[in-house]
Amino acid sequence: MSEISVIRCSTYQPVEIDKAVREAVNFIGGMGRFVKKGMRVLLKPNLLSDKPPDKAINTHPGIIKAVANMVIEQGGIPCVGDNPGIYSLTRVIQNSGLAEFIRGENIFLVNFSQYILKQTPQNYTFNEFKIAKEVLEADLVINLPKIKTHGHMLLTLAVKNLFGCLARQERIQWHLRAGINRNFFATMLVELYSLIQPGLTIVDGIIGMEGNGPGSGTPREIGVIIAGIDCLAIDTVITHILNLDSQRLYTIKAAEGRNLGKTSLNEINILGENINHLIINNFQLPLELKEDFEWGYYIPKRFRTTLKHNLIPKPAIDPTKCNLCFICLNNCPARAITTDKRRVIIDYITCIRCFCCQEFCPQGAITIKESWLCKNNPLKLIDAIKI
Ligand code: SF4
Ligand code: SF4
């Protein structure tokens, strides 16, 4: 059994956040169970962008501050670390409101810049990962994800948040290697999780993000703080609250049979709120992942490149929103984006459908669009043929 606490909280008022985070952690033994005097504690929030808290892109600064203060109370030394996708950590911290929240507090900040090569066990799919030194050398890692949709992985929750512990260059390489294969990418995330295994995870689920996440979606009140050790169990509980089948989450499927955590509600002891009373309806997933399918499996290899263009969802740029910042162009791992100075253009044959461009676009100008074949739901056709 994994123990996960779920606390209702619908506001970012500092007093209420502090109360809810404490309550959530107290249910699983209190901060004193995790932090001892003198421990270096690395807090790993989701800091994707330099946008303010009301955009619901980053873990809310109030949560980071509340957790850091609880660490300090136990005699620990908190340090907030990340390596944001597009901008420098300094810019993200200044513009996102975090600097204001932690000014004058005894909280250190670290931009991941040094990485240690960590080997995986022999039976793993991937041999090694370059993980941030600060993460591996911390006495305790506290994972602070935010509940958001994700164009490639459906949702970014507790397991996915640890992807930010990899070197930026390596993250690009992983996208290139995994391409459209979401199960392959999810396997990588799960194996990375097994190497980091944060000692504690506290989820910012007060205002999450639905729709075109993780960088340009719509804020959506979910009203929860969730705490626990087992990230897979936490992600399972969140899918239940979002009224989704947990098996739709690629990381949960990829974790099956690995003994890394619980992925069935029957094996999770939920403390605090009854999650059946917290279920939200009509949570909007990223466009066109509503009816996902593994196209490559059914198609002979020689036709895949040609058919890719017409079969699988693809990123589409809205020129009325694009301000030609070229962030997408500079961050496309496949170098599939070019410009003629008046617009940015995607080469769909080269594009590997990693949706990094959609994740990073600060204007929300990139969405995921389905192709005409998807609209006609080829799965139905394929199922009919199989029968
Ligand atoms: S699509 Fe977005 S990221 Fe790309 S150039 Fe336009 S605004 Fe920038
Ligand atoms: S165009 Fe976008 S989805 Fe395609 S490879 Fe580049 S970043 Fe990935």
Side-chain angles (χ1 to χ4, degrees), residues 317 321-329 344 361-363 365-366:
I317 297 170
K321 289 186 180 171
C322 173
N323 67 358
L324 297 178
C325 68
F326 301 136
I327 284 173
C328 57
L329 188 147
V344 282
C361 175
Q363 300 302 316
I366 304 184

Side-chain angles (χ1 to χ4, degrees), residues 51-100:
K51 295 284 191 294
D54 63 345
K55 298 284 180 199
I57 297 172
N58 301 330
T59 303
H60 195 280
I63 305 265
I64 301 171
K65 184 177 169 181
V67 175
N69 283 333
M70 289 170 72
V71 169
I72 292 169
E73 282 166 18
Q74 297 302 322
I77 306 154
C79 180
V80 178
D82 204 354
N83 184 358
I86 324 165
Y87 306 116
S88 70
L89 186 68
T90 313
R91 175 170 167 168
V92 168
I93 281 168
Q94 287 300 339
N95 296 358
S96 68
L98 183 56
E100 210 175 300

Side-chain angles (χ1 to χ4, degrees), residues 264-281:
S264 159
L265 285 182
N266 296 332
E267 297 177 308
I268 302 171
N269 185 17
I270 298 166
L271 306 159
E273 293 287 333
N274 180 341
I275 58 170
N276 290 327
H277 298 158
L278 296 169
I279 292 174
I280 63 167
N281 291 315

Side-chain angles (χ1 to χ4, degrees), residues 41-45 47 64 68 78-82 89 93 98 102 107-112:
V41 181
L42 192 274
L43 311 186
K44 167 63 183 79
L47 295 179
I64 301 171
C79 180
V80 178
D82 204 354
L89 186 68
I93 281 168
L98 183 56
I102 61 175
I107 303 167
F108 300 93
L109 298 167
V110 60
N111 189 15
F112 300 155

Side-chain angles (χ1 to χ4, degrees), residues 38-304:
M39 276 173 88
R40 289 165 307 156
V41 181
L42 192 274
L43 311 186
K44 167 63 183 79
N46 184 330
L47 295 179
L48 174 67
S49 141
D50 67 343
K51 295 284 191 294
D54 63 345
K55 298 284 180 199
I57 297 172
N58 301 330
T59 303
H60 195 280
I63 305 265
I64 301 171
K65 184 177 169 181
V67 175
N69 283 333
M70 289 170 72
V71 169
I72 292 169
E73 282 166 18
Q74 297 302 322
I77 306 154
C79 180
V80 178
D82 204 354
N83 184 358
I86 324 165
Y87 306 116
S88 70
L89 186 68
T90 313
R91 175 170 167 168
V92 168
I93 281 168
Q94 287 300 339
N95 296 358
S96 68
L98 183 56
E100 210 175 300
F101 263 79
I102 61 175
R103 189 165 294 130
E105 305 278 339
N106 214 1
I107 303 167
F108 300 93
L109 298 167
V110 60
N111 189 15
F112 300 155
S113 57
Q114 293 183 53
Y115 295 87
I116 295 173
L117 201 59
K118 186 109 170 132
Q119 304 293 330
T120 55
Q122 270 199 336
N123 56 346
Y124 274 37
T125 305
F126 304 98
N127 296 331
E128 56 192 24
F129 292 95
K130 264 192 202 159
I131 299 174
K133 189 169 173 275
E134 290 81 3
V135 172
L136 294 178
E137 292 185 349
D139 297 313
L140 171 73
V141 175
I142 302 184
N143 186 22
L144 300 175
K146 189 167 183 78
I147 300 177
K148 295 191 294 178
T149 47
H150 192 276
H152 196 217
M153 285 287 100
L154 191 70
L155 297 169
T156 168
L157 306 175
V159 170
K160 169 73 179 65
N161 191 42
L162 300 169
F163 189 49
C165 299
L166 293 178
R168 196 181 292 192
Q169 195 52 34
E170 184 155 294
R171 280 186 254 164
I172 292 173
Q173 289 303 322
W174 281 118
H175 279 296
L176 262 180
R177 284 175 68 183
I180 182 63
N181 193 324
R182 296 189 174 94
N183 293 316
F184 189 68
F185 197 79
T187 299
M188 180 276 294
L189 291 174
V190 166
E191 294 191 352
L192 174 67
Y193 164 62
S194 82
L195 294 188
I196 297 175
Q197 298 237 1
L200 174 62
T201 291
I202 301 167
V203 183
D204 172 6
I206 298 177
I207 308 285
M209 179 184 280
E210 63 180 358
N212 195 30
S216 307
T218 310
R220 170 84 190 256
E221 183 179 333
I222 300 167
V224 288
I225 293 284
I226 300 171
I229 298 172
D230 177 349
C231 286
L232 287 158
I234 288 172
D235 288 357
T236 303
V237 167
I238 295 171
T239 55
H240 185 81
I241 292 172
L242 300 182
N243 209 5
L244 295 171
D245 176 0
S246 63
Q247 286 301 305
R248 293 193 63 186
L249 199 59
Y250 297 94
T251 43
I252 287 180
K253 273 194 293 179
E256 255 162 37
R258 287 174 174 264
N259 208 18
L260 289 173
K262 305 299 182 194
T263 55
S264 159
L265 285 182
N266 296 332
E267 297 177 308
I268 302 171
N269 185 17
I270 298 166
L271 306 159
E273 293 287 333
N274 180 341
I275 58 170
N276 290 327
H277 298 158
L278 296 169
I279 292 174
I280 63 167
N281 291 315
N282 304 319
F283 185 77
Q284 295 300 303
L285 294 174
L287 215 60
E288 314 321 335
L289 281 176
K290 290 169 193 155
E291 293 291 337
D292 194 24
F293 69 101
E294 292 296 323
W295 63 279
Y297 180 80
Y298 299 101
I299 300 165
K301 216 172 177 176
R302 64 184 182 281
F303 296 131
R304 282 183 199 171

Side-chain angles (χ1 to χ4, degrees), residues 299-316:
I299 300 165
K301 216 172 177 176
R302 64 184 182 281
F303 296 131
R304 282 183 199 171
T305 307
T306 319
L307 290 180
K308 181 171 79 171
H309 182 62
N310 288 315
L311 274 174
I312 59 171
K314 56 191 175 190

